[in-house]
Amino acid sequence: MQDGSLLDAREEQTYRLLVGLSAARAAELAEVAELAPHEAAEVLQRLQAKGLVRVQPADEPVFRPLPPDVALGTTLLRRQESLEAARKTVAALSEEFRASASRRDAHHLVEVIVGATTLRERLRDLQNAAREEILWFCRANPMAMKGAENTEEYGALSRGVRYRAIYERALVETPGELDSIAEGVSWGEEARVLPTLPVRIAIVDRSTAICPLVRDDEPELGEPSAAIISRGQLLDALLALFESYWEAATPVRLQPDQTQTVEGLDDSERLLLSLLVAGVPDKSIATQLGISRRTVQRRLDRLMAMAGVDTRTGLSFQAAKRNWL
């Protein structure tokens, strides 16, 4: 049958009637089934061919039903075997399709771009398209765009995009960089510092990352190049890397926290303390704050006196304990 059934509706009806009658001639069955005699004879012939009816010879042949499990069991078994073979074929084809799709999609998970200009434009485009969050590993000696050039950050912050940036200490010590960081923080950026970072990263909306392919100490390899990484395990690894470094980094307080009041501690001292805890040396702190190293030492002495300690290590501990940062 074209629909996969073992019997069509007329065959099934005729067989049921014949079972009820136990035996019948074609004419009798035609009358009961309300069929024309030739139609009844045709259906009985089909049932006989399927092994569901046997004919008892007589002047007018008598038809008797046979057990359906015997007649149709073999047919069902063959169909089950055919279905199992078809299932295995579908499974094999599906696996082949998934493998091919994975290989094909892998080409779309990582895109390589070359050139500082191209990299800079892509960074700008991704920030302009950001809707939720942007994460940064900011190493010293930027490859494509200095902090002061990244004006797209302010537009993203103004529309509610969260910025979290971890700065390498050497970058913070670079003249003028702290002013750029302070500008970003004033717009809402969350800034932290670590002595070193393993790689440069920008991750947008936890769905796209930009990661340089050439190490800083290998400029002879040519123009800057970077991988644009989409969703997948590689991106998950970069996100985990960022979060682990974020937990270890020291917050840089360049603006007062309006939710807290630190008695006797002004904004410049909070900044000085933040740079000290981040490991920035006195000379760089003095340069960034526009004061002398002696003034830095004098202010640190005052902060140690406020904290009741006589070492910088103790000051850092008390600053964390008292939530000064």
Side-chain angles (χ1 to χ4, degrees), residues 113-321:
I113 58 176
V114 179
T117 301
T118 303
L119 178 55
R120 184 162 50 248
E121 290 175 353
R122 185 60 66 89
L123 283 169
R124 295 190 190 281
D125 290 342
L126 286 173
Q127 289 183 92
N128 287 331
R131 290 293 175 267
E132 296 180 4
E133 183 180 50
I134 296 179
L135 313 175
W136 291 92
F137 270 179
C138 302
R139 300 190 69 186
N141 305 313
M143 293 174 54
M145 183 166 53
K146 295 182 178 180
E149 299 173 350
N150 186 24
T151 56
E152 282 71 25
E153 175 179 356
Y154 308 135
L157 285 166
S158 65
R159 62 175 185 271
V161 176
R162 183 187 184 191
Y163 266 72
R164 288 193 287 156
I166 304 177
Y167 295 92
E168 203 168 51
R169 184 188 299 160
L171 179 63
V172 177
E173 295 176 14
T174 303
E177 280 296 330
L178 191 58
D179 292 336
S180 176
I181 297 172
E183 179 69 15
V185 171
S186 71
W187 282 77
E189 175 190 302
E190 299 170 48
R192 295 190 179 187
V193 176
L194 279 175
T196 60
L197 291 171
V199 68
R200 305 176 194 276
I201 301 176
I203 305 177
V204 179
D205 289 340
R206 309 185 82 82
S207 62
T208 305
I210 298 184
C211 181
L213 297 175
V214 178
R215 293 174 49 175
D216 292 359
D217 58 357
E218 297 177 331
E220 69 279 0
L221 294 181
E223 287 190 274
S225 61
I228 310 297
I229 302 165
S230 301
R231 294 184 185 276
Q233 290 190 351
L234 181 55
L235 179 61
D236 291 343
L238 292 177
L239 285 167
L241 179 68
F242 179 89
E243 295 297 347
S244 66
Y245 273 71
W246 180 259
E247 289 299 318
T250 300
V252 177
R253 301 299 188 190
L254 303 177
Q255 296 294 324
D257 187 343
Q258 301 298 332
T259 65
Q260 300 178 7
T261 300
V262 180
E263 184 177 356
L265 200 66
D266 63 32
D267 297 343
S268 65
E269 288 172 327
R270 287 168 65 86
L271 172 54
L272 186 154
L273 187 56
S274 148
L275 295 174
L276 171 71
V277 174
V280 179
D282 288 5
K283 181 179 179 181
S284 296
I285 293 177
T287 300
Q288 296 294 350
L289 298 182
I291 56 180
S292 67
R293 294 178 66 178
R294 180 170 296 184
T295 302
V296 170
Q297 180 61 57
R298 187 171 62 252
R299 292 185 179 182
L300 287 174
D301 289 342
R302 176 177 178 275
L303 290 171
M304 285 189 284
M306 287 177 59
V309 297
D310 57 4
T311 66
R312 295 189 179 194
T313 302
L315 176 59
S316 297
F317 175 79
Q318 288 296 326
K321 182 179 180 180

